[in-house]
Amino acid sequence: MKGGRSLNLLITGGAGFIGLNFVHYLLKSASHQITVMDSLTYASHPDEIQELTSNPKFRFIKGNIANKNDLNAVMDQQYEAIIHFAAESHVDNSIQNADDFIQTNIVGTYELLQQLKTGAAKKMIHVSTDEVYGTLTPAQDPFTELSPLSPNNPYSATKASSDLLVRAYYETFKLPLMTTRCSNNFGPFQNKEKFIPTIIYSALQNKKIPIYGDGQQIRDWLFVEDHCKAISLILEKGTSGEVYNIGGGNERKNIDLVKRILEIMGKPESLIEYIEDRKGHDRRYAIDSTKLQNKLNWEQTSTFDQSLVKTVEWHMNKFGASI
Ligand code: NAD
């Protein structure tokens, strides 16, 4: 049975990787009325959105969050909450050209905050990233919500900028705002440009798998369904003005992760190819989620390896036949 009060929610970026997973999660676990606003960039899934439009609990509005007119069109009612996922999210693209990152991640978030000032929603969850904290050495403790912001690439700088705007709008106008900072997600619907899908698609085609630098970079992996569960708890019980870290507690060296995926797929390690390191490449991310666990009783539902096998199988089933 679907529990809880029915809320009308606006989800920005709901056609992207995490936003779409969140929409599916809500449609399964709750009976909320969902509006997705998304400009449908290359990173989105328009076919999945099209399928969802037959559900009376769902509506889709195409629009750009950095455009005032588009936003005004979506604000035809007061939402119980906005869950703000929309972003340009790929670090490599931001190194090539950060224009869209500035527009969507900074100006788009600003325009949403302006809407909040006029009462567009009773609260907003701003979805950010652990990358705003910068990088860690192997010996340092994981980032907490109190770690200083120290972004090292244009993408994370735009996310940190948006986090500061959210903080300032909470402090200045007492708007009901919360920020989440999650570690690297993985799961269904992730774009092929990202690390885990790149490994899977390259291996499926028996192509070389590009590994930046020495492959010793460490990331803390979070299964997207566990992330959705965390956002859902914050929506229900989170406190305005707070930041919540969401980490998987699954630190893995990039090279070890590649080897495990190759093992799951039955492919040889000879496919691995080391390439020149990414500019400004952070060495290690690790996130301390104690606050979320203690205050909101968040816990993960599956182990890292179970979720990884599920993810590899999903990508292989979805696209294996067409390769
Ligand atoms: P994604 O790139 O897969 O999807 C982003 C979605 O936003 C797309 O559907 C795109 O069309 C939409 N969008 C982009 N610009 C827009 C605009 N101007 N107006 C309206 N819609 C627009 O991203 P994701 O991986 O799902 O990430 C979602 C959020 O989570 C982002 O804010 C990202 O910074 C954050 N995050 C992601 C990860 C991760 O591992 N994927 C980790 C930490 C934080």
Side-chain angles (χ1 to χ4, degrees):
M1 233 230 346
K2 296 181 177 190
R5 200 158 62 89
S6 171
L7 308 174
N8 63 332
L9 304 175
L10 174 62
I11 300 179
T12 73
F17 163 44
I18 304 173
L20 185 58
N21 274 283
F22 188 63
V23 170
H24 283 304
Y25 179 86
L26 288 182
L27 289 173
K28 264 191 284 176
S29 62
S31 50
H32 303 317
Q33 202 68 44
I34 297 169
T35 300
V36 163
M37 179 192 194
D38 196 297
S39 61
L40 298 182
T41 70
Y42 76 95
S44 66
H45 298 273
D47 295 350
E48 298 294 327
I49 290 293
Q50 182 56 39
E51 266 183 40
L52 287 172
T53 50
S54 60
N55 187 328
K57 294 271 171 204
F58 179 88
R59 75 170 175 160
F60 174 69
I61 299 178
K62 186 174 177 196
N64 176 356
I65 57 163
N67 180 303
K68 284 186 179 47
N69 293 335
D70 287 1
L71 273 181
N72 286 336
V74 174
M75 304 301 174
D76 57 355
Q77 56 188 289
Q78 190 192 41
Y79 294 96
E80 296 285 337
I82 298 173
I83 301 99
H84 175 33
F85 291 100
E88 286 293 334
S89 68
H90 193 41
V91 175
D92 288 344
N93 292 346
S94 78
I95 294 169
Q96 294 299 319
N97 182 343
D99 287 358
D100 290 345
F101 292 73
I102 304 281
Q103 280 307 312
T104 294
N105 301 359
I106 305 179
V107 178
T109 302
Y110 164 74
E111 292 295 351
L112 277 168
L113 291 169
Q114 289 293 91
Q115 292 284 342
L116 262 278
K117 260 174 81 181
T118 63
K122 294 187 187 161
K123 57 179 144 176
M124 181 167 98
I125 300 176
H126 168 61
V127 178
S128 190
T129 169
D130 61 355
E131 295 201 28
V132 298
Y133 296 123
T135 188
L136 290 169
T137 63
Q140 280 178 301
D141 287 336
F143 298 120
T144 72
E145 290 81 358
L146 299 176
S147 300
L149 301 191
S150 198
N152 290 323
N153 60 63
Y155 159 70
S156 52
T158 59
K159 293 296 289 189
S161 305
S162 64
D163 289 15
L164 292 179
L165 279 172
V166 169
R167 179 195 147 80
Y169 271 62
Y170 171 74
E171 294 293 335
T172 308
F173 304 109
K174 300 293 172 236
L175 294 182
L177 302 166
M178 290 163 271
T179 295
T180 63
R181 297 190 181 127
C182 63
S183 58
N184 281 44
N185 282 228
F186 66 104
F189 300 112
Q190 189 163 29
N191 192 280
K192 285 184 197 171
E193 69 194 353
K194 299 285 167 46
F195 188 58
I196 288 181
T198 297
I199 302 166
I200 301 168
Y201 292 110
S202 303
L204 266 174
Q205 299 169 88
N206 298 312
K207 282 189 183 163
K208 290 287 183 192
I209 297 163
I211 303 296
Y212 282 129
D214 59 7
Q216 299 295 310
Q217 305 86 354
I218 295 172
R219 299 292 177 261
D220 172 1
W221 292 95
L222 171 68
F223 187 45
V224 68
E225 277 176 28
D226 289 317
H227 185 190
C228 293
K229 191 177 161 196
I231 301 268
S232 182
L233 279 173
I234 292 164
L235 176 64
E236 205 186 322
K237 302 192 232 166
T239 305
S240 287
E242 293 291 322
V243 173
Y244 296 96
N245 279 354
I246 313 171
N250 299 303
E251 286 190 58
R252 295 287 184 283
K253 286 184 182 158
N254 283 353
I255 188 64
D256 294 339
L257 182 56
V258 177
K259 287 181 180 170
R260 177 64 188 128
I261 292 174
L262 289 174
E263 188 183 21
I264 294 168
M265 296 177 72
K267 297 282 183 177
E269 289 184 11
S270 55
L271 290 176
I272 295 170
E273 180 179 57
Y274 292 93
I275 61 169
E276 189 190 335
D277 208 355
R278 169 192 271 169
K279 290 185 176 65
H281 205 177
D282 290 332
R283 202 65 186 162
R284 173 174 169 242
Y285 301 135
I287 272 274
D288 182 337
S289 314
T290 308
K291 178 174 170 180
L292 187 65
Q293 286 155 355
N294 290 350
K295 299 248 179 208
L296 304 187
N297 296 324
W298 176 70
E299 53 185 25
Q300 297 183 69
T301 46
S302 54
T303 67
F304 174 72
D305 204 64
Q306 285 167 339
S307 307
L308 186 64
V309 170
K310 222 162 120 177
T311 301
V312 171
E313 285 171 353
W314 185 89
H315 284 279
M316 289 177 74
N317 287 338
K318 184 89 177 162
F319 295 106
S322 61
I323 282 173

